[in-house]
Amino acid sequence: DIQMTQSPSSLSASVGDRVTITCRASQTIITSLNWCQQRPGKAPRVLISGASKLQSGVPSRFSGSGSGTDFTLTISSLQPEDFATYYCQQSYSIPRTFGQGTKVEIK
Amino acid sequence: QVRLQESGPGLVKPSQTLSLMCTVSGGSVSFGHHYWNWIRQPAGKGLEWIGRMYTSGFTTYNPSLKTRVTISPDASKNQFSLELTSVTAADTAVYYCAREWDDSSGPYFDSWGQGTLVTVSS
């Protein structure tokens, strides 16, 4: 199985801050990396696919980058609705695996 | 817009079989080139992929659960099901069904059900 490791596990930030979350795969996954957001009590929703493709309806303040084993999700200016948990997920091989999550909290 | 909805018992006794159904609307479980998945999340923890079914009915399972899992279609009702045998408290989780879509950027889970909590307890 490909292990996905996110950092940090949690962070506190203020509205307007720039936030960066990193994800590392235990082996190369090229760009087969997706990011999803999960608000409390809700199902996850995809934000970015293929490491950098912004999904329809997702605000442009979200961006993704990286390839191989190291990836980044950036929120350029944190908004109140962005306080949530973020997961990376590899779609390179079976079984599909997720990072442990990064909880973004209000400072 | 495809929609998915999980249904099934919220309480299962230890050693028994957990059975859930996912009803799909706005899409077909038996036509197209999609994978239909089950994913679970214990309270306060991360996401674990359980397995998937292709529109042909071909299935693939997480090796960690493979001996206990069956995913199967019901094309007449546009549903697919999850059966997990010999459950323990460790199987207590919110269970999601989700579609995996594949486009130029690669595969990703583009549609999710709202999730259903299953508690394993006597």
Side-chain angles (χ1 to χ4, degrees), chain A residues 45-83:
Chain A
R45 70 154 178 154
V46 64
L47 300 175
I48 288 170
S49 60
S52 61
K53 180 184 176 182
L54 196 66
Q55 285 296 302
S56 174
V58 176
S60 59
R61 62 181 179 272
F62 290 93
S63 64
S65 64
S67 65
T69 60
D70 294 313
F71 301 88
T72 300
L73 172 70
T74 300
I75 309 172
S76 60
S77 177
L78 200 64
Q79 297 302 300
E81 60 268 30
D82 301 337
F83 292 96

Side-chain angles (χ1 to χ4, degrees), chain A residues 8-79:
Chain A
S9 296
S10 64
L11 64 90
S12 295
S14 301
V15 173
D17 284 353
R18 182 181 182 88
V19 169
T20 299
I21 299 168
T22 63
C23 178
R24 175 165 288 177
S26 60
Q27 65 184 73
T28 182
I29 56 172
I30 313 178
T31 57
S32 300
L33 189 283
N34 307 313
W35 290 97
C36 63
Q37 175 194 64
Q38 186 177 34
R39 296 185 175 120
K42 300 295 186 183
R45 70 154 178 154
V46 64
L47 300 175
I48 288 170
S49 60
S52 61
K53 180 184 176 182
L54 196 66
Q55 285 296 302
S56 174
V58 176
S60 59
R61 62 181 179 272
F62 290 93
S63 64
S65 64
S67 65
T69 60
D70 294 313
F71 301 88
T72 300
L73 172 70
T74 300
I75 309 172
S76 60
S77 177
L78 200 64
Q79 297 302 300

Side-chain angles (χ1 to χ4, degrees), chain A residues 34 38 49-50 53 87 91 96, chain B residues 41 96 100 103 105 107 113:
Chain A
N34 307 313
Q38 186 177 34
S49 60
K53 180 184 176 182
Y87 294 94
S91 57
R96 302 298 195 223
Chain B
Q41 184 174 38
Y96 295 99
E100 188 174 61
D103 64 17
S105 70

Side-chain angles (χ1 to χ4, degrees), chain B residues 4-113:
Chain B
L4 300 92
Q5 176 71 57
E6 304 89 351
S7 59
L11 181 64
V12 181
K13 288 181 167 48
S15 79
Q16 294 191 342
T17 296
L18 179 160
S19 297
L20 295 175
M21 193 68 71
C22 181
T23 301
V24 178
S25 57
S28 172
V29 301
S30 49
F31 295 101
H33 302 284
H34 310 306
Y35 287 97
W36 302 95
N37 297 259
W38 286 98
I39 295 162
R40 70 181 182 178
Q41 184 174 38
K45 297 189 177 180
L47 298 155
E48 179 182 30
W49 180 79
I50 298 170
R52 70 183 186 181
M53 178 194 80
Y54 191 56
T55 49
S56 65
F58 180 77
T59 53
T60 314
Y61 302 125
N62 192 322
S64 66
L65 297 167
K66 185 177 182 178
T67 59
R68 299 195 292 132
V69 174
T70 303
I71 296 174
S72 54
D74 184 339
S76 64
K77 296 180 180 178
N78 209 31
Q79 297 174 327
F80 64 104
S81 65
L82 169 70
E83 287 199 340
L84 182 66
T85 62
S86 304
V87 297
T88 69
D91 296 309
T92 294
V94 174
Y95 286 75
Y96 295 99
C97 54
R99 184 180 75 171
E100 188 174 61
W101 181 266
D102 194 348
D103 64 17
S104 59
S105 70
Y108 56 94
F109 299 116
D110 73 320
S111 302
W112 296 68

